[in-house]
Amino acid sequence: MMQMDNIQQLLEKFYAGDTTPDEERRLKDYFLDNKCVDERWKKDRTLFRALYATPHEMPQGVSARLEATLRRLDGNERRTAARMRTLWRRIGSVAAAALLCVALFFAVQPDTSNTVADTYDNPEDAALMAEKTLLYVSVKLNRGIKQTYAVRQEMGKMSEVLEKTFKTNN
């Protein structure tokens, strides 16, 4: 029978990952064969019994079900990637149309650069109106940026899922 100090040293080496196969076998034999294990090693005995006591068998059909699930998931991700490409095409089309509308708007506007007219008699009123206008534009711009950020986060999550799936399938 092994001495108590020897068991403690072997357990420390085992949990550090430094044991040899022979040392692991000795620990396994001690914990599986010995009925009266010291109280301080009850949890260790439970661990060794769980690891080595009974052989673990896979239920029938697990491999086939796992393979079918992986094929189904692979097909879903390919459809998701196709949807993302379609979404980006649509977004690009909308952006191009919006850019075209803005360009046409400025192209059709009459040239008023030669005429300068004051719309406010009081410069303080003009400054106040400019400040209000800039605040309004800032609020709207920040709202749009928040929405863009949320979409970017979702795209990042989808990219991570796709990368993990393609890595596991390859």
Side-chain angles (χ1 to χ4, degrees):
M1 181 181 281
M2 286 196 270
Q3 294 177 354
M4 299 297 181
D5 292 337
N6 192 15
I7 294 171
Q8 185 63 39
Q9 290 172 350
L10 285 176
L11 280 173
E12 288 172 6
K13 284 179 71 175
F14 177 79
Y15 288 123
D18 296 333
T19 53
T20 64
D22 183 54
E23 290 171 332
E24 286 183 28
R25 183 191 47 75
R26 290 192 336 222
L27 277 173
K28 177 184 87 164
D29 291 343
Y30 173 76
F31 283 116
L32 294 181
D33 295 339
N34 201 347
K35 298 289 183 210
C36 53
V37 172
D38 194 322
E39 189 65 35
R40 61 184 162 171
W41 295 318
K42 293 280 186 185
K43 290 183 181 178
D44 299 305
R45 181 180 66 180
T46 304
L47 172 71
F48 275 88
R49 284 187 177 175
L51 288 174
Y52 299 110
T54 57
H56 303 285
E57 292 183 21
M58 295 278 280
Q60 289 182 344
V62 167
S63 179
R65 288 192 315 242
L66 180 61
E67 189 175 327
T69 302
L70 289 175
R71 282 190 187 132
R72 183 177 47 84
L73 288 175
D74 186 37
N76 287 344
E77 288 166 4
R78 287 183 184 167
R79 284 191 297 273
T80 301
R83 287 181 190 149
M84 292 304 297
R85 283 191 298 271
T86 303
L87 176 66
W88 279 113
R89 284 186 194 126
R90 288 180 182 170
I91 289 172
S93 299
V94 169
L99 186 61
L100 182 64
C101 289
V102 168
L104 287 174
F105 175 77
F106 284 112
V108 173
Q109 289 291 322
D111 187 21
T112 58
S113 60
N114 294 339
T115 60
V116 176
D118 253 345
T119 54
Y120 288 93
D121 295 331
N122 185 354
E124 292 174 1
D125 290 341
L128 184 61
M129 183 53 72
E131 185 178 330
K132 285 182 180 179
T133 303
L134 289 173
L135 182 62
Y136 175 77
V137 169
S138 174
V139 167
K140 295 296 182 180
L141 183 63
N142 284 337
R143 195 174 292 159
I145 288 173
K146 285 179 185 176
Q147 291 172 347
T148 303
Y149 181 72
V151 168
R152 184 180 293 163
Q153 284 182 324
E154 289 299 319
M155 294 293 293
K157 289 177 185 176
M158 290 190 76
S159 294
E160 289 176 11
V161 168
L162 289 173
E163 286 177 13
K164 285 180 184 176
T165 303
F166 288 125
K167 284 182 182 177
T168 58
N169 288 339
N170 291 332

